[in-house]
Amino acid sequence: MPRLRILHESWPSAGSFRISRGSKSSAEVVVVELEQDGFTGRGESVPYARYNETIPDTIEALEGARDSIERGCARDAVPELVKPRAARNALDCALWDLEAKRTGTPVWKTAGLDPPQALVTAYTLVLDTPENMANAARHASTRPLLKLKLGAEGDAERLRQIRHAAPHARLIVDANEGWTAADLPALLDLCAACGVEMVEQPLPASQDEALRRLRRPVSICADESAHDSDGLDALLGKYDAINIKLDKAGGLTPALGLARDARRRGFTVMTGCMLSTSLAMAPAMLVAQLGTVTDLDGPLLLARDRDPGIVYDGSIMEPAPPELWG
């Protein structure tokens, strides 16, 4: 039977990571380790205050399920064992990793996927003044896809200056629920004029019904409004795409199902991440193989990453080494 270890780790960011809801200077992650027969499976998660999850609550939920976990639990039992989705994610991914290491069969094969390929990830520019974001865009202008954190007063000027500073980069925008229905038509028109390809979660999830009545010159992606397959039908007519994050879905197992269900309904699939290390990117990269847009740059925004970690050549990320995960 597996032995459970639960860790809280802090990974400093390369700079202040600021979005419309606040800023942070480190990735605060919960790691689950399952040791059995000399092998250790690991999973990493980020409890997120937006979903009323905290580090202590996540650890407490996992500790509360320790007996069941150490008696040996299947992946389909994880949602019954722990409530916080971040806790489910770390446990689910650790179970996948442990099975892969014990059997010698990679996760992608067990999951019925094709061998993972290298992917181009978006590179995030954090919310800042128009001038500072333009400078950041200029330094990152050779990257093929930039993700702009917006959602504050002055966004129109930010967009104009960033596009001028990086005229050839593809752009996507993440407003993090920071825009209003009244301002949205003009901002979307400006996004279209600046060549923005997609806007994530422009309105608060509680107010996104307004999107049904809106002309959408730019593709709209659900993030805070999209969590699991059960909620997909409610997004039809409001969104064109969904952002799948393992911490929202509750692990690799439900995230793969969500990606397949979303594609069947005609949504574009984006795979995203919280600020976290390569251990969190590795399983997310398998979901990204089923999608169109990849935003898995978490390790690029940290002062340091795990060793071994995922290799990034600019914005191209290679499949995770088996020593890391999977």
Side-chain angles (χ1 to χ4, degrees):
M1 295 294 104
R3 293 177 55 195
L4 171 66
R5 188 178 182 208
I6 308 164
L7 306 170
H8 169 207
E9 298 178 349
S10 181
W11 295 81
S13 60
S16 178
F17 186 83
R18 183 185 174 207
I19 65 173
S20 62
R21 281 190 292 270
S23 63
K24 59 173 66 176
S25 58
S26 63
E28 301 297 321
V29 307
V30 173
V31 175
V32 166
E33 294 184 351
L34 297 174
E35 183 180 350
Q36 185 174 1
D37 302 329
F39 299 97
T40 301
R42 299 186 298 165
E44 176 182 312
S45 67
V46 179
Y48 198 36
R50 169 63 179 77
Y51 304 117
N52 300 313
E53 294 186 354
T54 66
I55 294 283
D57 289 346
T58 299
I59 292 175
E60 182 180 1
L62 289 163
E63 285 289 2
R66 176 180 290 275
D67 288 346
S68 296
I69 294 169
E70 292 189 334
R71 284 197 298 268
C73 68
R75 288 189 296 272
D76 59 7
V78 168
E80 301 172 5
L81 292 178
V82 287
K83 181 178 179 181
R85 295 194 182 212
R88 295 179 191 176
N89 179 27
L91 177 56
D92 180 74
C93 290
L95 287 167
W96 277 105
D97 189 34
L98 179 61
E99 180 179 343
K101 287 181 167 59
R102 292 183 68 209
T103 63
T105 303
V107 170
W108 62 263
K109 183 173 288 188
T110 303
L113 302 171
D114 293 330
Q117 304 298 310
L119 297 170
V120 174
T121 180
Y123 180 77
T124 301
L125 304 184
V126 299
L127 182 63
D128 208 329
T129 65
E131 295 76 16
N132 286 345
M133 290 191 75
N135 286 334
R138 192 171 295 110
H139 284 109
S141 60
T142 58
R143 293 183 181 271
L145 179 61
L146 300 180
K147 175 174 174 173
L148 319 179
K149 288 289 190 179
L150 301 181
E153 185 177 351
D155 278 349
E157 186 60 24
R158 290 183 180 91
L159 275 168
R160 294 188 187 99
Q161 289 201 32
I162 289 167
R163 174 44 84 198
H164 180 74
H168 304 298
R170 296 168 54 212
L171 301 179
I172 56 178
V173 161
D174 186 1
N176 282 117
E177 303 181 283
W179 291 350
T180 67
D183 293 336
L184 192 53
L187 285 168
L188 289 181
D189 283 342
L190 179 58
C191 283
C194 291
V196 172
E197 299 178 9
M198 176 185 288
V199 175
E200 282 184 70
Q201 201 67 44
L203 301 179
S206 61
Q207 301 173 22
D208 66 1
E209 190 63 28
L211 295 173
R212 289 193 193 277
R213 305 182 296 274
L214 188 72
R215 180 182 63 87
R216 300 200 292 270
V218 177
S219 177
I220 304 296
C221 178
D223 184 356
E224 286 83 355
S225 290
H227 298 87
D228 50 40
S229 292
D230 290 342
L232 282 175
D233 287 343
L235 304 181
L236 292 169
K238 295 191 291 187
Y239 295 96
D240 309 294
I242 67 164
N243 186 345
I244 298 176
K245 296 175 180 174
L246 270 65
D247 281 309
K248 289 191 303 173
L252 176 62
T253 303
L256 288 172
L258 175 57
R260 292 173 173 130
D261 290 343
R263 292 203 310 178
R264 280 194 289 269
R265 286 169 170 80
F267 289 108
T268 297
V269 171
M270 176 182 186
T271 307
C273 66
M274 306 299 190
L275 184 63
S276 45
T277 79
S278 282
L279 182 57
M281 301 305 114
M285 196 174 181
L286 296 186
V287 180
Q289 303 292 319
L290 301 176
T292 303
V293 181
T294 301
D295 177 27
L296 297 177
D297 64 341
L300 297 179
L301 307 175
L302 299 177
R304 61 183 178 87
D305 190 19
R306 297 185 187 275
D307 184 17
I310 289 175
V311 173
Y312 289 82
D313 181 6
S315 292
I316 299 175
M317 58 187 307
E318 299 294 333
E323 298 84 3
L324 171 68
W325 185 89

